[in-house]
Amino acid sequence: MNKALPSDTVKVSNPLAIYSFAAIISLLLSGWIAYREILINPDAICYLQSAAVIGAGGLRKAMNLCAQAQWPFYSVLIFSLGMLTHLPLLVSAYIWDALFTALSVVTFIAIVRQLGGGRRVLWLAAFVILMAHQFNSIRQYLIRDHGFLAFYLLSLNLLLRYVATPRWTYAFGWGLSLLFATLFRIEGAVFLVLLPWLCWFLPSFTAWQRVKGFLQLNIISLAAGLAVFGWLIFHPEISLASLGRMQDLVFQLFHAGGMVWQRFQISANAFAHSVLAPESMADAGLVFSLSVIMWYVVRVLTNLSLICSGLVIYAL
């Protein structure tokens, strides 16, 4: 006879109260921080100006206004909400950021639930994400990262659901959420292209499930690629250079390996001549690699805090 699982390992059947509490607290925190904020960050000036230009001069003119506006979805959202509600663009931007941050909080808790967290663990997860210093320190900034992080976390939650129960709905939702993340930051396209390859390494999947999973997770990428390709065919006057950072994305996808290796060689050479003694220059590549790894570990510990890092190590 099977033993009953401890209460903290049983999936919570109705976590709505936890989600609602965390979302409300997050919205209140964002509202309080926005109310206290006197000066806005420099990037916010670009987004607000481009949102204003969209209504007056169109999207193309807004994209050429400043560097951050070349990826214009965030500015379009600010302009659209301001137009619908007649609120100032600054208020519209704070509303969007508050909603995206609340979505990040709820999705973080949902990921913990998907990994098997019980009710007590979910309450602890809510406390961790709401009190996380690095997470809260960017609430005051009007930046695209809020939207990117929200949809990136949503994609992780859907990917975990797909691995547990392979369904078209989860695969489609995963691709769609990363597509929205890409509209905020170009890095989302990298995850959209690379993460489906994980299907080939899942030990719980059969050979057919790996093939099927790879195809299902790529359905949004293929559809988006065909849509852009078809649009460019019917609009030959439009080039990749005019599509914001799309040209950078295409270049990096085809030349990422060479760029990384070239940058590594340049950095290792500079490290050898500026840091190492002459007798150690032969091992510059190894020493530089170890230094980068240690720097990454320190950054992770700094961002998570020592307490949360200890909890992660304990969980592993």
Side-chain angles (χ1 to χ4, degrees):
M1 185 174 180
N2 295 331
K3 295 182 179 179
L5 293 173
S7 59
D8 281 340
T9 61
V10 178
K11 185 175 288 188
V12 181
S13 59
N14 186 17
L16 183 60
I18 304 175
Y19 293 158
S20 300
F21 172 82
I24 292 172
I25 295 299
S26 178
L27 291 172
L28 291 175
L29 279 174
S30 296
W32 176 64
I33 291 174
Y35 176 77
R36 292 179 63 253
E37 194 64 24
I38 300 176
L39 300 175
I40 60 175
N41 53 296
D43 287 358
I45 299 175
C46 173
Y47 298 130
L48 295 175
Q49 287 180 342
S50 61
V53 171
I54 290 175
L59 183 61
R60 185 69 61 82
K61 184 176 180 181
M63 290 176 62
N64 296 323
L65 185 64
C66 48
Q68 292 83 354
Q70 292 180 4
W71 214 236
F73 186 65
Y74 183 52
S75 299
V76 171
L77 288 179
I78 296 173
F79 164 74
S80 301
L81 183 59
M83 183 181 64
L84 291 174
T85 61
H86 302 288
L87 291 171
L89 294 178
L90 179 61
V91 177
S92 299
Y94 276 124
I95 290 176
W96 277 121
D97 286 358
L99 292 175
F100 290 139
T101 303
L103 178 59
S104 297
V105 169
V106 172
T107 308
F108 175 82
I109 301 171
I111 291 174
V112 174
R113 176 174 179 258
Q114 185 63 28
L115 294 174
R119 184 170 295 276
R120 185 183 65 168
V121 174
L122 293 190
W123 280 112
L124 290 174
F127 175 79
V128 167
I129 189 65
L130 289 172
M131 295 294 105
H133 172 70
Q134 293 292 338
F135 181 72
N136 288 321
S137 64
I138 64 171
R139 284 182 185 264
Q140 61 182 315
Y141 300 134
L142 300 178
I143 49 178
R144 294 171 293 162
D145 300 56
H146 300 292
F148 172 77
L149 182 59
F151 286 103
Y152 171 70
L153 289 176
L154 183 60
S155 73
L156 288 183
N157 183 42
L158 291 168
L159 184 61
L160 289 173
R161 289 176 178 271
Y162 179 82
V163 171
T165 309
R167 293 179 181 174
W168 271 105
T169 51
Y170 294 149
F172 185 80
W174 172 83
L176 196 62
S177 58
L178 268 184
L179 186 62
F180 275 104
T182 304
L183 292 175
F184 286 97
R185 293 194 63 89
I186 197 69
E187 290 85 350
V190 178
F191 294 110
L192 188 62
V193 172
L194 296 182
L195 282 180
W197 292 91
L198 292 176
C199 286
W200 300 106
F201 304 98
L202 292 176
S204 60
F205 276 28
T206 63
W208 166 241
Q209 285 179 319
R210 293 174 185 177
V211 175
K212 183 180 178 181
F214 181 77
L215 295 176
Q216 287 181 332
L217 292 177
N218 274 303
I219 189 67
I220 294 294
S221 302
L222 293 174
L226 290 175
V228 172
F229 181 72
W231 188 72
L232 290 175
I233 289 179
F234 288 102
H235 297 80
E237 73 280 2
I238 303 297
S239 64
L240 286 176
S242 63
L243 298 179
R245 295 189 60 196
M246 187 65 70
Q247 186 181 25
D248 295 339
L249 173 63
V250 174
F251 181 82
Q252 291 183 27
L253 287 176
F254 285 99
H255 303 281
M259 292 171 60
V260 171
W261 177 249
Q262 182 181 16
R263 187 64 179 269
F264 174 81
Q265 292 289 341
I266 295 175
S267 300
N269 184 60
F271 186 79
H273 288 84
S274 302
V275 178
L276 298 179
E279 57 271 14
S280 303
M281 288 186 178
D283 299 320
L286 175 61
V287 176
F288 179 72
S289 299
L290 294 175
S291 301
V292 171
I293 293 173
M294 289 303 301
W295 172 83
Y296 179 77
V297 172
V298 170
R299 291 295 299 172
V300 171
L301 293 175
T302 303
N303 288 327
L304 290 178
S305 78
L306 290 177
I307 295 176
C308 290
S309 299
L311 292 175
V312 170
I313 295 173
Y314 173 74
L316 294 174

